[in-house]
Amino acid sequence: MTELLLETRNLRKMFAVSASPFSRAKQITAAEGINISLAAGETLGIAGESGCGKSTVAKMLMGLLPPTSGEIIFCGRQVSTFTAKEQSNFRGSVQMIFQDPFSSLNPRMRVGEIIGEPLLIHRTATGKDLEARVLQLMEQVGLAPEQYARYPHQFSGGQRQRIGIARALAVNPKLLIADEPLSALDISIQAQIINLLIELRKKRGLTYILISHDLSVIRHLSDKTAVMYLGRIVEEGATADIFASPLHPYTEALLAAIPGLSGKRCRAPGKVLQGDIPSPLAPPSGCHFHPRCPYKRELCATQSPVLEDKGENRKAACHFSREIFS
């Protein structure tokens, strides 16, 4: 059995919303019951609309947000038990590629300084060795040596994302979390970054968590996919299987919205998702998706479905998935 690099067990995150003159203080559940596992070298895609909790999960995995409850297991150890030194090593082992390649770069620092900063923080290179390492990283992501002393504003959006990727790679991480890494880029540039991520995975044996609302991006990069809706995983399985035959109405609707996909993958091609994702301040009763679901029944409004095994390494949280998608 392949040893897991990362595992979460019933991960949950709640946020307190302060009271106002017109409302009481409330608790928002941003993520609940998150159970994911990832072996070294795998890529997990986490998909869903904006506001479904994808970025909250990413921040907990990075250590930027403490979970309200649940466990994060990294290389067989529970992260909450790490010593200060182990926490520092963990931060080096898990790096993030951010959504906006411009705001994530310090405009007052030159590119060489930006990419080299993690090496200084983790004390892995200084002086001439530092410069050589930075130039090597720039070459790996397709940046020219003469760009070493330039500032972020002198680069295009795609080049800035390459800078962010080089910075993330500087400390030789085991896991890269890419939070909507393509959404701020032009379509023509997106293909270049996808190819770069694939190439780096092959050369470095990297493990990725790719967070995106765009399932077509997930399709190109991910070995397996978890689909989230309003803080919960509603379907998970091998990416190829999910695209071939979704087992949750929400996944089906997301696939139906992708131009060019065969109608065979969507059993209700004329039924586009209606409305917006509900507010986490007032989530629907029962199945959170039922107000937007074309297959809803009375049970869906009263009883919340659990994410259960549907066979062939597939899971879905739908009362009637076997009947609907048989």
Side-chain angles (χ1 to χ4, degrees), residues 4-13 31 33-38 44 46 53-83 86-87 90-91 93-94 96 175 177 209:
L4 294 179
L5 176 68
L6 176 75
E7 182 183 8
T8 69
R9 298 173 184 169
N10 294 318
L11 207 59
R12 189 184 199 203
K13 182 61 183 178
I34 305 299
N35 294 291
I36 59 175
S37 60
L38 194 60
L44 169 67
I46 301 179
K54 306 184 302 293
S55 293
T56 298
V57 172
K59 289 175 182 177
M60 286 193 286
L61 297 178
M62 281 287 298
L64 300 176
L65 277 177
T68 303
S69 61
E71 301 176 355
I72 299 172
I73 313 295
F74 188 76
C75 292
R77 292 273 313 280
Q78 190 170 327
V79 172
S80 61
T81 67
F82 284 175
T83 64
E86 289 171 334
Q87 283 283 358
F90 170 71
R91 294 188 194 101
S93 296
V94 182
M96 181 174 279
L175 172 64
I177 300 176
I209 292 179

Side-chain angles (χ1 to χ4, degrees), residues 23 27 45 67 69 80 104 127 144-145 152 155 165 183 220 222 270 294 315 317:
S23 64
Q27 291 277 340
S69 61
S80 61
S104 65
F155 293 84
I165 293 171
S183 62
H220 282 293
S222 301
K315 291 183 179 181

Side-chain angles (χ1 to χ4, degrees), residues 244-279:
S245 56
L247 294 180
H248 194 282
Y250 180 58
T251 309
E252 180 189 61
L254 292 179
L255 292 175
I258 301 176
L261 274 186
S262 167
K264 293 180 181 179
R265 290 191 176 93
C266 179
R267 297 169 190 267
K271 297 181 180 179
V272 179
L273 262 183
Q274 300 296 320
D276 298 320
I277 190 168
S279 169

